[in-house]
Amino acid sequence: MRTVLGIDLGTQALKVVFYDIDARRVAAVESAPLSLYQNERGRAEQQAHWWVEALQKALGKVGSSVRATASAVGVSGQQHGFVPLDAAGNVLAPVKLWCDTSTEAECAEIMAAAGGEARCLHDAGNLIPPGFTASKVLWLRKHHPALYAQMATILLPHDYLNFYLTSERCMEMGDASGTGFLDVRNRAWSETLLRAIDPDRDLQDCLPTLRIANEAIGTLQTGVAEELGLPAGIPVAIGGGDNMMGAIGTGNVRSGRVTMSLGTSGTVYAYSDEPVVDPSGQIAAFCSSTGGWLPLLCTMNCTVTTELTRSLLDADLAEFEAHLESAPPGASGVITVPFFNGERTPNLPGAKGCIVGLDSQNMKPENLLRSGVEGATFALKFGIDQLEALGLQASEIVLTGGGVNSPSWRQVVADIFGLPVTVMQQDQGAAPGAAMQAMALLADQPDSLGDIVDTHLTPDPDRSCEPSESAVNLYQDVYASYQDAVAAAAQLYGQSAATTQGRRES
């Protein structure tokens, strides 16, 4: 047996997938949980060494005979995290994550120093919302100047695992475009944004080599290979952000297909051969990890919403599914605005979750749970609408992420979007995409990734579904009510509804 190893560093867990190249099947999959430090002021952090320990634990659950078959490695990682290293490669501070909203003030400072929102969009293609790496760098400079002075390298989470595996410091274009200081149109660091973070220091000195081609960044170090039980010297691919690897793992490497990830955060994205910059800044103008671009909308509260509601009602997964099946589409008028961790889209980092429409007849567990699912999905519908407004048409939605395991949620997605929903048999989040990227290192042709995707990805007919016409029509009215609720939440938490997705005219 010959396998490739895909590693996916998530927020709640780290997953490893060994993919059997010749049998075209997953040979082994394991994971290890990750802790997360959060507080009421928006702080969300992890220690980088937790990721290494989780990788060791996850691989330790895989039989040594399977680990010995690994021929290449690819790493996917949560985007936007900030890993500052000193010259010796030591991590200087806890890692602020994508869901950290404590740097809202720094976001405003950077955009003001860069010349305003329009200038940011012109020079980099993106605004700087809370969560992006740029504001975290300024936060370290302001609050821990001594540590900032020691900073020699800026890495992202997947870059750090690559550094651990190979000792190489580098960045990949897709993940780098989520920093906020990459000019995504030209695939180069934005001097304007870097000067806005620090006018006195050339931060390009701290930024590693940018990679665009899928190539081996190095090989697995002997000592690390011994720790992990893997063959020493096997190549390690450039890897990428979890969304970019999710795109590969769902076959989203050509125009026409839209991927939706129902994970801790929710994402909607589509491949493009050309840069796609949203004039409103609500769609992130990311690069792909396959040489193109990946315009994307991210919400911060997807399975967060369903897990909080499920925990509140003490419902296990079987009860969760039964409740979803028993509640009618539209949850009998209950609407959840799922901003429990603040929100990136719309840009409401200080927002709170809201449940509206409750009365003495509909306040039932099944309606609360279904409303949570519908609210998390409505939040993503804006992404499809906006992508289509930017000229990217969707003919199907390929689902991935933890929410895929719910048949009822899959049907809700099909009905709200009015599109067929496809789930791949190889669905294991972003890890299969990382594995396929690693597989491309072993192929004869350097541009073989598209062929690999075509050969190794197979739709699962038992988990795919078609929209119901009656539900599609009903959800159009429910979505309008959801938009009104978002507009009210935006007013309540200090932002004009005119700048949010809650406006029905949008």
Side-chain angles (χ1 to χ4, degrees), residues 110-111 114 116-128 132 134 176-194 275-278 283-287 293:
I110 292 170
M111 288 192 286
E117 292 186 357
R119 180 68 185 274
C120 289
L121 287 171
H122 178 272
D123 284 16
N126 285 303
L127 302 179
I128 310 294
F132 272 34
S177 57
T179 60
F181 43 77
L182 184 79
D183 174 354
V184 297
R185 295 180 183 88
N186 299 304
R187 294 193 178 106
W189 299 122
S190 168
E191 294 185 10
T192 300
L193 271 298
L194 291 175
V276 177
V277 175
D278 179 5
I283 296 292
F286 288 165
C287 301
W293 283 265

Side-chain angles (χ1 to χ4, degrees), residues 71-73 161-168 170 211 215-225 228 230-238 441:
S71 54
V73 182
L161 282 186
N162 277 348
F163 175 65
Y164 163 71
L165 295 171
T166 68
S167 79
E168 294 294 326
C170 64
R211 309 285 186 117
E215 58 189 3
I217 61 167
T219 58
L220 189 60
Q221 299 182 86
T222 300
V224 173
L228 302 178
L230 298 171
I234 60 175
V236 178
I238 58 174
L441 298 179

Side-chain angles (χ1 to χ4, degrees), residues 22-46:
D22 300 316
R24 299 182 185 178
R25 65 177 183 86
V26 173
V29 55
E30 294 291 351
S31 64
L34 288 166
S35 298
L36 173 65
Y37 177 79
Q38 288 184 292
N39 65 18
E40 68 281 359
R41 296 182 299 279
R43 185 176 173 188
E45 297 174 347
Q46 289 175 334

Side-chain angles (χ1 to χ4, degrees), residues 176-506:
S177 57
T179 60
F181 43 77
L182 184 79
D183 174 354
V184 297
R185 295 180 183 88
N186 299 304
R187 294 193 178 106
W189 299 122
S190 168
E191 294 185 10
T192 300
L193 271 298
L194 291 175
R195 284 197 304 271
I197 297 169
D198 190 338
D200 302 318
R201 179 180 182 181
D202 188 354
L203 286 175
Q204 292 200 55
D205 293 340
C206 298
L207 291 168
T209 303
L210 274 169
R211 309 285 186 117
I212 184 171
N214 181 32
E215 58 189 3
I217 61 167
T219 58
L220 189 60
Q221 299 182 86
T222 300
V224 173
E226 292 174 354
E227 290 176 4
L228 302 178
L230 298 171
I234 60 175
V236 178
I238 58 174
D242 51 0
N243 294 303
M244 292 76 199
M245 295 298 101
I248 296 172
T250 56
N252 197 342
V253 297
R254 302 183 184 93
S255 300
R257 177 171 280 176
V258 169
T259 298
M260 181 180 298
S261 176
L262 305 177
T264 306
S265 63
T267 52
V268 177
Y269 46 88
Y271 177 85
S272 174
D273 290 320
E274 302 290 336
V276 177
V277 175
D278 179 5
S280 74
Q282 296 187 90
I283 296 292
F286 288 165
C287 301
S288 75
S289 294
T290 53
W293 283 265
L294 199 72
L296 174 149
L297 175 133
C298 176
T299 63
M300 300 185 74
N301 302 273
C302 192
T303 58
V304 167
T305 303
T306 56
E307 289 302 288
L308 285 171
T309 311
R310 197 165 65 81
S311 176
L312 174 69
L313 298 172
D314 195 25
D316 61 23
L317 290 174
E319 292 169 327
F320 171 73
E321 192 63 30
H323 281 313
L324 293 185
E325 291 177 355
S326 66
S332 299
V334 180
I335 295 174
T336 296
V337 179
F339 300 163
F340 297 99
N341 285 333
E343 189 48 78
R344 177 183 298 174
T345 314
N347 185 19
L348 292 168
K352 307 293 182 183
C354 304
I355 301 176
V356 301
L358 290 169
D359 59 35
S360 60
Q361 302 301 308
N362 65 16
M363 190 170 175
K364 299 176 181 179
E366 58 266 32
N367 288 328
L368 290 173
L369 285 165
R370 188 173 185 102
S371 175
V373 165
E374 291 174 348
T377 309
F378 283 142
L380 291 167
K381 177 172 169 54
F382 174 73
I384 294 284
D385 294 346
Q386 196 76 347
L387 287 173
E388 291 185 340
L390 293 170
L392 298 169
Q393 298 302 310
S395 58
E396 69 172 325
I397 294 174
V398 183
L399 278 185
T400 188
V404 168
N405 296 319
S406 166
S408 296
W409 199 342
R410 297 195 298 266
Q411 189 63 53
V412 165
V413 171
D415 294 341
I416 285 178
F417 291 91
L419 291 170
V421 162
T422 300
V423 179
M424 297 297 177
Q425 290 183 357
Q426 298 82 359
D427 181 64
Q428 292 289 344
M436 290 180 188
Q437 188 196 61
M439 198 189 313
L441 298 179
L442 310 176
D444 295 331
Q445 298 298 321
D447 58 350
S448 61
L449 190 54
D451 293 335
I452 288 172
V453 165
D454 291 340
T455 300
H456 290 272
L457 287 179
T458 308
D460 184 347
D462 294 334
R463 294 194 294 167
S464 302
C465 58
E466 295 285 333
S468 162
E469 184 177 352
S470 60
V472 170
N473 294 332
L474 182 148
Y475 274 128
Q476 290 177 356
D477 291 334
V478 180
Y479 181 52
S481 297
Y482 169 82
Q483 290 177 297
D484 288 339
V486 170
Q491 294 284 5
L492 181 62
Y493 293 107
Q495 181 165 323
S496 169
T499 61
T500 75
Q501 63 162 304
R503 291 191 70 193
R504 192 175 298 181
E505 307 91 86
S506 67

